[in-house]
Amino acid sequence: MTHPVAGFARPAVWWLRWAFVIVGLTALILGYLGFQRLGQLRPDTINDRYDALYYSAQLFVFSAEPFEDPGPLPWQLQVARFLAPLLTLLAVAEAGRLLLAAEIRRLRARRASGHALVCGDSQFAQMLADRLFADGERVVVVRSEPFGPLEYRRRRYLGVIGDPTSAEVLRGAGLPRAHTIYACTHDDDLNHAIANAASRLIADRRHPPRVYVQVHDPEMCLSLQARRLGAAGSSRLRLDYFHVDDIAARALHRHHPLHRAVGRQTSVLIAGSGSFRRALLVETARHWRAHPSEPGIARPRLRVDLVAPDASTELALAASRYPFLDTVCQLSAYDRGIDDLTGLAQFGAGGYDRIYVCVPQESSGLQFVLDTPGLWQGVREAVFVPVYRQAALAAAFHGDPGHDLLDEVHGKLRLYPVLTEACDARLIAEDLTERLAQQIHERYLHTRLRSGARLGSAPAMVGWSRLPASLQRANRSYVQDIAAKLLDLGCVVAPRHGGSGDASAAGQAIDDRIDHLARLEHERWCRERRGEGWTYGEPRDDARQRHPELRPWDELSPAIQEQNREEIRTLPDVLSDSGFELIRLTAAVPEQRGGSADGH
């Protein structure tokens, strides 16, 4: 589990405590010495040292009997009689602060702005809040169970206690002024209720926050993403559903990139039937596809062997949902249990670059890996074991340098804590809208490069990370406008199941209305550009925001018109890469709306 940066905001607390101790001891000692000196000057006032000690203690309650008689006092007593009450006042103020701490935090949370709001009592919600805070974010947490005093002291972020689905509780957590909202309870229905309440509270905001809803079933998550994609055009709210397996699978290849072997085919083995298996397979293929290829040399396929009792069925389902798998990978299925892993011929033929062991009973899977040296001998890089409940054991294997407690088998054993790695706000922010926008831009780059354009020859001829913000927004707007295109086509988005009849009907719907949709897309692109201050002008001048294609559709060149048509034709391929397909429900319905990508 991640925690806030050690020592953050704590030195001041420790200094304050030490200051209290020093002031108190100084006042007590000076008071005792002062009363001893007073006893020498006025013997009838102080009888013995016990009187001196008692009167010194009285100084802390603003009273001492010897002060009833006027007369000069020793300097030690003069200092002590002001220092002791000061400590008492400070102690009263600190006690009041502690007693009112919950109310103070509630007021601070209500007035918070520009913060991340995490809703839920789950382990993932706590880990995500800790990670956000450690990354420097201002965090407000909404929980139904109270924070303990030590928990407040350790985490140091703001918290609100109450029902996270209540609009009043969310308003008290500053939701209308938050920049991101995470719904991460144990119950999917509660997470949906939080999203609904958030939507109502921020309905009138010009720049509403992003809302990310955790879904615990991967199939349901994909289905809800499809339904959100079809409704995004009716709401400006940036809403996405996520599953921790998808986030963690992407994080794995960010932190542990798979390198291409020299002089041989790179190969990986995925074994077991855990929920992480399919997400790992898909993201491994995407990661491999993103590898740059040398000019004139075809990208080698990645060999992926799947070992599980249902390996053939799972591979067929995954390939039908994600068609790019067969083009990127050489897939093989072995219908056998993980106990027979080392019996594969591939172990004796050079082994694998990586092995992933995904077992629902992670303790038994880990035990198998620890007790099977043949796995370590049959892998060139490492054996990865995804774990959900054993993050502490993973930290024992892979702690900071000098603090790892267990042997990693020369680096060939990697426990991968799924929940810990999924608590990455940057990867969660790469939601479906962002990923589709990036994919649209990558397709545009690929098309332009094939036509002879060079990287850097135009503002749009760069990678996504270097793309100007206005063009990134244009791609996102294109994705958000997919809902309008679907309505015009009489189609909907659904998780892909490999059928061809519906896909053919959707393709025919696009062909039937290609000119109409391309015209609408160009018109929306023009509205979007003009809204950002662009005007018509030749030649193109990005500094002065002048563009030669900001003119009516009929005045465009045939090449630019065909470019708009091609953007519409590629829509089914863009969606299929994320596991979706177009399903035609009705005849086309005329709709005066359109979309735009950054191809202009």
Side-chain angles (χ1 to χ4, degrees):
M1 180 180 296
T2 57
H3 298 291
V5 177
F8 182 80
R10 291 189 177 184
V13 174
W14 284 106
W15 276 113
L16 182 61
R17 291 175 180 172
W18 277 109
F20 269 59
V21 172
I22 293 172
V23 170
L25 289 176
T26 301
L28 187 62
I29 293 172
L30 289 178
Y32 179 80
L33 295 176
F35 280 117
Q36 288 276 48
R37 179 61 178 162
L38 184 64
Q40 296 174 2
L41 298 176
R42 290 188 281 175
D44 58 329
T45 304
I46 307 296
N47 296 320
D48 53 33
R49 60 183 180 181
Y50 296 106
D51 281 349
L53 186 60
Y54 177 74
Y55 292 144
S56 298
Q58 281 189 320
L59 292 175
F60 291 94
V61 292
F62 301 86
S63 175
E65 294 178 11
F67 294 150
E68 296 178 0
D69 298 326
L73 299 174
W75 69 268
Q76 297 94 333
L77 198 55
Q78 292 281 27
V79 174
R81 70 171 180 166
F82 288 101
L83 202 58
L86 175 61
L87 176 65
T88 302
L89 292 174
L90 291 175
V92 170
E94 180 65 12
R97 186 187 69 83
L98 292 175
L99 290 173
L100 297 174
E103 183 66 16
I104 292 173
R105 286 191 178 94
R106 187 187 68 80
L107 294 175
R108 288 177 58 198
R110 191 176 188 88
R111 299 178 59 186
S113 62
H115 59 287
L117 180 60
V118 181
C119 303
D121 297 85
S122 66
Q123 180 187 11
F124 180 77
Q126 294 181 18
M127 295 170 68
L128 177 60
D130 287 343
R131 179 74 170 270
L132 289 167
F133 185 83
D135 290 342
E137 288 277 2
R138 190 176 189 185
V139 181
V140 177
V141 176
V142 177
R143 288 172 46 167
S144 57
E145 296 186 3
F147 286 86
L150 293 179
E151 196 172 12
Y152 263 133
R153 185 178 302 169
R154 178 171 66 86
R155 288 194 163 89
R156 310 296 299 173
Y157 43 63
L158 299 176
V160 175
I161 308 303
D163 180 5
T165 66
S166 166
E168 186 58 35
V169 171
L170 294 176
R171 191 179 290 109
L175 182 144
R177 295 177 299 280
H179 64 72
T180 310
I181 300 158
Y182 302 91
C184 309
T185 72
H186 292 288
D187 190 328
D188 285 354
D189 196 55
L190 288 179
N191 292 338
H192 301 324
I194 294 170
N196 293 338
S199 177
R200 289 191 294 270
L201 287 175
I202 59 183
D204 298 330
R205 286 197 58 183
R206 182 177 180 183
H207 300 290
R210 296 185 178 190
V211 180
Y212 298 113
V213 180
Q214 182 182 6
V215 179
H216 295 85
D217 180 1
E219 290 296 314
M220 177 61 73
C221 183
L222 192 68
S223 297
L224 292 176
Q225 286 179 337
R227 302 280 52 78
R228 177 58 190 168
L229 189 62
S234 62
S235 170
R236 292 184 295 110
L237 180 66
R238 183 79 173 268
L239 169 68
D240 190 43
Y241 299 89
F242 72 93
H243 190 275
V244 294
D245 286 350
D246 297 329
I247 307 298
R250 277 188 277 144
L252 190 152
H253 292 295
R254 299 282 180 94
H255 302 152
H256 307 283
L258 178 62
H259 300 291
R260 184 173 297 167
V262 178
R264 58 177 176 80
Q265 186 179 25
T266 307
S267 61
V268 300
L269 169 66
I270 301 176
S273 55
S275 63
F276 193 63
R277 178 179 63 179
R278 185 178 296 184
L280 177 62
L281 171 63
V282 174
E283 290 303 327
T284 299
R286 286 196 178 118
H287 173 71
W288 188 255
R289 184 178 59 180
H291 268 287
S293 58
E294 299 181 15
I297 300 178
R299 179 186 290 107
R301 297 168 75 193
L302 174 69
R303 181 162 65 89
V304 178
D305 291 347
L306 183 63
V307 177
D310 63 339
S312 297
T313 302
E314 171 63 19
L315 212 54
L317 290 173
S320 65
R321 174 161 292 175
Y322 302 96
F324 74 91
L325 289 178
D326 279 325
T327 63
V328 176
C329 303
Q330 177 186 326
L331 302 170
S332 300
Y334 298 89
D335 295 324
R336 59 174 70 184
I338 64 170
D339 293 337
D340 299 330
L341 274 182
T342 54
L344 292 176
Q346 287 80 353
F347 274 94
Y352 294 93
D353 290 274
R354 279 190 187 176
I355 297 175
Y356 301 96
V357 179
C358 309
V359 180
Q361 297 79 22
E362 57 189 52
S363 58
S364 61
L366 177 59
Q367 187 73 51
F368 169 74
V369 173
L370 292 174
D371 293 344
T372 311
L375 291 176
W376 316 337
Q377 298 168 340
V379 68
R380 297 185 181 91
E381 184 179 330
V383 181
F384 286 79
V385 184
V387 294
Y388 294 83
R389 297 179 298 275
Q390 302 191 58
L393 184 58
F397 272 102
H398 319 298
D400 298 330
H403 295 88
D404 46 341
L405 305 179
L406 300 171
D407 175 29
E408 298 175 336
V409 194
H410 295 187
K412 289 199 170 186
L413 175 62
R414 298 290 310 184
L415 270 68
Y416 187 71
V418 174
L419 293 182
T420 301
E421 298 298 337
C423 294
D424 191 330
R426 290 167 296 185
L427 289 177
I428 295 175
E430 292 180 7
D431 55 12
L432 182 61
T433 297
E434 194 76 4
R435 297 196 302 274
L436 289 176
Q438 291 185 28
Q439 186 183 341
I440 289 168
H441 177 65
E442 289 169 2
R443 285 178 173 270
Y444 165 76
L445 274 182
H446 183 66
T447 301
R448 296 288 293 155
L449 289 172
R450 283 193 307 175
S451 65
R454 292 178 292 105
L455 287 175
S457 59
M461 290 299 297
V462 293
W464 177 264
S465 61
R466 297 175 54 198
L467 196 66
S470 62
L471 295 182
Q472 288 186 352
R473 286 194 298 272
N475 280 276
R476 296 187 192 107
S477 298
Y478 176 84
V479 173
Q480 296 242 332
D481 198 64
I482 286 177
K485 296 179 176 67
L486 296 177
L487 182 62
D488 195 288
L489 290 168
C491 296
V492 296
V493 177
R496 185 181 177 89
H497 294 289
S500 59
D502 291 332
S504 299
Q508 185 61 48
I510 291 177
D511 290 340
D512 291 343
R513 298 184 62 76
I514 188 67
D515 285 329
H516 174 69
L517 289 174
R519 178 188 294 269
L520 291 179
E521 180 170 329
H522 174 71
E523 290 173 356
R524 194 184 79 88
W525 176 83
C526 290
R527 289 195 302 272
E528 183 182 57
R529 294 287 87 187
R530 292 192 181 102
E532 294 196 358
W534 287 73
T535 59
Y536 170 80
E538 294 189 59
R540 175 171 176 168
D541 188 336
D542 289 271
R544 300 172 63 185
Q545 293 187 308
R546 302 180 71 176
H547 203 294
E549 291 157 22
L550 272 171
R551 49 184 172 174
W553 169 263
D554 294 330
E555 297 180 13
L556 294 176
S557 66
I560 297 300
Q561 290 182 348
E562 182 58 27
Q563 182 176 310
N564 280 271
R565 296 187 188 99
E566 188 61 28
E567 290 168 358
I568 301 298
R569 292 190 188 103
T570 60
L571 182 58
D573 292 335
V574 170
L575 294 174
S576 70
D577 193 81
S578 295
F580 303 115
E581 64 180 339
L582 288 179
I583 305 295
R584 188 171 190 178
L585 294 180
T586 63
V589 179
E591 182 76 16
Q592 297 303 313
R593 297 178 64 185
S596 173
D598 64 8
H600 286 293

